[in-house]
């Protein structure tokens, strides 16, 4: 069992070494699957920006509502 | 024609004022000379690209300094006096023409001094470089005159002048540096026709917009 | 401004682009790979920005002509909304550039010019803050806005065509039109632009409404 594990480990490390030698490109995670995750990141950025913006607008509105409450 | 008459008188006034104090001319010349000298002490010899970029950077700051005062220096009382006498169109025209003349003289002197210290790089098309320098000083003066008019209305003009003018001048500067680089590389003159045309269009555009807008700015 | 149908239309368009943009087939290109789908999300930001800035200039002209405060507020708020889209466009562009061109900021002419045109509008807001008197502020800011706009047009639409750029359609790079913006992509791209432009307009109206209430309460 131990032997098998060590062999597997060796194999695995050699495989990763092999992969490292072949692949020069870095940040491989984001380049998988035809870089589709870049698109995801961009969509998330746009959504986050707009949502953040909505929250700031909301805050302004809240202030306004408070003010108008005080007046009434 | 009345407008031409007014413009002529205003330019004359500016020239006389300038001649009496020689403030802009001497100040800016001193600025250019000392900058070039400092650059010479630190660089000793420079390559083509730096040579070109350095010249335009020096000219950019020199022209901001020279033109910023065209509206900023005028006192409230004198502005009011001018306002009652001439039309705003004549005023902006006169200021722009005067600034262009001043800048052309300054640029030529600066370029001569600059080449005295740092020689022209090899195979420079010297005539084209002069054309570039003169076109550049024209564009600087049309744009900066209007921006300084805007900045002078805000109260704290000096700081704002830089903030307001840099985003506007950068496109012009990019075209200019490209044009000048063509000249430094000694490329065929036909190559630079695009840039000359674009600079001309930008100048005409800026002048028309300035002429249209200045009357609104002037009227308080 | 207060009707609902166009807001629903914008929402539908954007949802459609999110679904179709991720699922429909796109041309297979090296380097770009799937990121070509970013075309549906990154480019419409610029369209929205330019439209909002154009609205801003339009109201600046009107405010200069009539001296009405209403138009001045409209000009400011649309410039404000435009800046958000500009920033989003720059950030998404930077991320996209990192994984296709190698760096977040590759000093590509279009990137630089987009940054400069944002600077222009930041300068516009600094100018506004520098003046206290309202009438004067409206007038001078409007003048600067109109004066700067032709420069922005030159910056965004003329200069990139003269320089080498990594963006498609400039300096030797074939444009999207020539080979890869085929009819399938158009089906998503145009609705995306329209949708985001309308959303930008929506944000502008929201800001405008809040601002008018704020002003009326002062």
């Amino acid at each position: 069992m131990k032997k098998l594990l060590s062999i597997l480990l060796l194999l695995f490390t050699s495989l990763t070494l092999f992969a490292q030698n072949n692949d020069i490109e870095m940040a491989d995670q984001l380049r998988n699957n035809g870089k589709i995750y870049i698109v995801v990141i961009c969509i998330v950025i746009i959504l986050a920006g707009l949502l953040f913006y909505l929250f700031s607008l909301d805050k302004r509105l809240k202030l306004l509502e408070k003010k108008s409450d005080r007046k009434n | 024609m009345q407008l031409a008459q007014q413009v002529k008188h205003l330019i004359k006034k500016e020239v006389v004022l300038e001649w009496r104090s020689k403030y802009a001319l001497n100040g800016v010349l001193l600025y250019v000379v000392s900058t070039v000298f400092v650059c010479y002490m630190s660089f000793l010899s420079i390559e083509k690209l730096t040579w070109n970029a350095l010249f335009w950077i020096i000219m950019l700051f020199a022209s901001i300094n020279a033109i910023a005062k065209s509206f900023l220096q005028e006192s409230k009382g004198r502005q009011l006096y001018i306002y009652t006498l001439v039309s705003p169109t004549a005023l902006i025209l006169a200021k722009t023409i005067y600034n262009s003349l001043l800048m052309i003289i300054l640029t030529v002197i600066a370029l001569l001094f600059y080449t005295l210290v740092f020689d022209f790089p090899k195979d420079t098309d010297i005539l084209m470089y002069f054309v570039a320098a003169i076109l550049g000083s024209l564009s600087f003066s049309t744009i900066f005159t209007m921006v300084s008019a805007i900045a002078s209305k805000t109260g704290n003009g000096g700081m704002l002048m830089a903030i307001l003018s840099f985003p506007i001048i950068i496109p012009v500067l990019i075209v200019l540096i490209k044009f000048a680089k063509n000249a430094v590389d000694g490329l065929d003159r036909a190559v630079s026709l695009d840039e000359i045309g674009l600079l001309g269009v930008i100048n005409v555009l800026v002048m028309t917009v300035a002429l249209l807008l200045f009357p609104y700015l002037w009227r308080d | 401004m207060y009707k609902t149908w166009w807001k629903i239309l914008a929402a539908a368009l954007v949802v459609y682009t999110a679904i179709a943009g991720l699922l429909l087939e796109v041309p297979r290109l090296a380097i770009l790979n799937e990121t070509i789908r970013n075309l549906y999300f990154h480019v419409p930001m610029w369209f929205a920005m330019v439209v909002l800035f154009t609205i801003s200039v339009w109201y600046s002209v009107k405010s200069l002509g009539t001296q009405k405060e209403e138009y001045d507020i409209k000009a400011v708020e649309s410039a404000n909304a435009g800046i958000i889209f500009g920033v989003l466009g720059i950030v998404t562009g930077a991320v996209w550039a990192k994984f296709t061109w190698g760096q977040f900021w590759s000093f590509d002419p279009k990137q630089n010019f987009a940054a400069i045109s944002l600077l222009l509008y930041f300068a516009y807001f600094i100018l506004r803050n520098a003046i206290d008197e309202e009438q004067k502020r409206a007038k001078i800011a409007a003048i600067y806005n109109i004066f700067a706009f032709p420069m922005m047009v030159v910056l965004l639409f003329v200069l990139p065509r003269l320089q080498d750029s990594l963006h498609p359609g400039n300096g030797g790079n074939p444009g999207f039109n020539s080979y890869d913006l085929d009819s399938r992509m158009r089906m998503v791209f145009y609705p995306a632009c329209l949708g985001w432009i309308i959303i930008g307009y929506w944000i502008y109206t929201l800001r405008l409404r809040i601002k008018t209430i704020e002003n009326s309460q002062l």
Side-chain angles (χ1 to χ4, degrees):
Chain A
M1 190 63 194
K2 248 184 183 175
K3 252 183 195 168
L4 200 74
L5 257 178
S6 56
I7 289 171
L8 268 179
L9 200 75
L10 260 175
L11 231 161
F12 192 68
T13 44
S14 66
L15 260 181
T16 50
L17 271 180
F18 190 67
Q20 266 172 3
N21 284 342
N22 261 351
D23 253 347
I24 308 161
E25 272 183 7
M26 269 111 63
D28 291 304
Q29 289 295 320
L30 282 171
R31 289 183 208 275
N32 283 344
N33 295 329
K35 298 180 186 167
I36 188 70
Y37 291 107
I38 310 305
V39 184
V40 174
I41 290 178
C42 285
I43 295 172
V44 169
I45 288 173
I46 292 172
L47 279 182
L50 287 179
L51 285 176
F52 172 77
Y53 195 65
L54 271 181
F55 276 111
S56 68
L57 271 186
D58 193 61
K59 220 163 129 194
R60 262 173 86 183
L61 254 182
K62 255 184 209 158
L63 269 177
L64 274 182
E65 279 166 352
K66 253 186 216 160
K67 256 191 199 165
S68 64
D69 270 353
R70 226 179 290 147
K71 264 184 196 168
N72 293 340
Chain B
M1 241 188 73
Q2 215 198 345
L3 188 69
Q5 207 70 14
Q6 285 179 351
V7 171
K8 214 176 83 188
H9 278 294
L10 279 171
I11 293 176
K12 214 167 157 191
K13 168 218 134 199
E14 294 279 344
V15 172
V16 168
L17 266 182
E18 177 55 43
W19 193 248
R20 218 178 276 158
S21 66
K22 298 197 189 68
Y23 166 77
L25 207 63
N26 287 341
V28 174
L29 271 185
L30 193 65
Y31 168 81
V32 170
V33 168
S34 49
T35 321
V36 171
F37 195 64
V38 168
C39 289
Y40 175 70
M41 305 249 271
S42 49
F43 283 119
L44 290 179
S45 78
I46 49 180
E47 44 177 324
K48 258 192 217 173
L49 268 178
T50 333
W51 188 87
N52 190 18
L54 196 60
F55 176 71
W56 286 110
I57 290 170
I58 293 172
M59 281 327 293
L60 176 68
F61 284 97
S63 55
I64 280 199
N65 282 335
I67 298 174
K69 57 164 215 52
S70 70
F71 279 96
L72 295 177
Q73 105 194 119
E74 307 241 13
S75 62
K76 268 260 152 66
R78 196 195 283 165
Q79 280 193 1
L80 205 64
Y81 179 60
I82 295 171
Y83 177 67
T84 53
L85 285 182
V86 296
S87 73
T89 325
L91 183 67
I92 186 81
L93 265 178
K95 288 268 190 196
T96 312
I97 292 171
Y98 166 73
N99 279 333
S100 311
L101 289 176
L102 182 74
M103 275 312 298
I104 287 172
I105 295 171
L106 275 176
T107 312
V108 170
I109 297 175
L111 187 56
L112 286 177
F113 183 74
Y114 189 63
T115 51
L116 204 74
V117 178
F118 299 111
D119 262 339
F120 269 118
K122 250 187 225 164
D123 52 54
T124 303
D125 191 339
I126 293 178
L127 185 69
M128 271 319 251
Y129 204 87
F130 266 91
V131 172
I134 286 172
L135 263 180
S137 52
L138 266 180
S139 329
F140 283 163
S141 43
T142 51
I143 290 175
F144 287 150
T145 308
M146 186 61 190
V147 175
S148 93
I150 294 175
S152 75
K153 288 280 171 185
T154 60
N156 53 346
M159 245 273 284
L160 266 180
M161 173 83 193
I163 297 173
L164 295 183
S165 56
F166 273 121
I168 300 187
I169 204 70
I170 285 173
V172 177
L173 208 60
I174 289 168
V175 181
L176 270 175
I177 287 183
K178 185 143 184 274
F179 178 21
K181 193 176 160 296
N182 286 350
V184 169
D185 288 338
L187 296 183
D188 189 55
R189 285 181 189 169
V191 177
S192 311
L193 284 182
D194 263 1
E195 275 81 26
I196 297 180
L198 189 59
L199 279 177
V201 169
I202 288 178
N203 268 324
V204 170
L205 207 69
V206 169
M207 269 320 286
T208 40
V209 177
L211 280 181
L212 286 176
L213 290 180
F214 189 72
Y216 290 101
L217 187 66
W218 194 232
R219 181 171 74 199
D220 244 332
Chain C
M1 200 198 280
Y2 298 100
K3 291 211 173 79
T4 317
W5 65 268
W6 56 269
K7 293 165 192 167
I8 295 171
L9 173 74
L13 282 174
V14 173
V15 170
Y16 160 72
T17 55
I19 296 169
L22 285 172
L23 294 182
L24 283 191
E25 220 173 296
V26 288
R28 288 173 177 270
L29 299 171
I31 303 174
L32 274 177
N33 307 97
E34 291 278 6
T35 60
I36 194 167
R37 297 183 193 277
N38 259 347
L39 179 78
Y40 308 136
F41 304 102
H42 161 73
V43 182
M45 296 291 123
W46 298 115
F47 278 80
M49 182 192 86
V50 169
V51 168
L52 284 168
F53 284 165
T54 315
I55 292 175
S56 169
V57 170
W58 169 244
Y59 281 119
S60 280
V61 172
K62 275 193 148 181
S63 117
L64 207 55
T66 57
Q67 310 277 355
K68 270 188 198 158
E69 197 194 359
E70 169 198 353
Y71 293 129
D72 182 50
I73 296 173
K74 282 182 177 174
V76 183
E77 294 306 328
S78 55
N80 254 321
I83 278 197
I84 301 159
F85 283 93
V87 170
L88 286 179
I90 276 211
V91 176
T92 52
V95 172
W96 193 5
K98 169 73 182 167
F99 292 96
T100 46
W101 303 338
Q103 282 161 309
F104 283 113
W105 200 262
S106 357
F107 289 95
D108 180 73
K110 272 200 182 168
Q111 269 186 322
N112 289 341
F113 295 155
I116 295 166
S117 62
L118 277 185
L119 271 187
L120 248 169
Y121 277 87
F122 287 137
Y124 169 74
F125 287 115
I126 291 174
L127 176 66
R128 290 191 70 88
N129 287 337
I131 311 167
D132 294 327
E133 204 183 317
E134 265 171 42
Q135 289 266 323
K136 203 174 169 187
R137 175 169 66 202
K139 193 176 70 180
I140 294 173
I143 288 171
Y144 183 69
N145 197 357
I146 301 167
F147 187 62
F149 188 71
M151 277 303 169
M152 200 192 75
V153 171
V154 170
L155 206 60
L156 287 180
F157 299 107
V158 183
L159 281 184
R161 287 176 212 293
L162 289 180
Q163 287 186 312
D164 292 336
S165 166
L166 296 161
H167 275 88
N170 303 120
N173 271 347
F176 270 123
N177 286 321
S178 61
Y179 67 109
D180 47 15
L181 190 65
D182 54 15
S183 49
R184 280 171 304 173
M185 291 193 76
R186 266 169 235 258
M187 292 263 296
V188 186
F189 181 62
Y190 293 148
C193 289
L194 187 63
W196 284 110
I197 287 171
I198 301 176
I199 286 196
Y201 185 74
W202 186 5
I203 288 180
Y204 148 66
T205 55
L206 284 181
R207 284 197 69 105
L208 178 62
R209 277 151 70 178
I210 292 180
K211 187 77 194 168
T212 30
I213 296 177
E214 272 178 1
N215 275 9
S216 67
Q217 290 202 337
L218 283 179

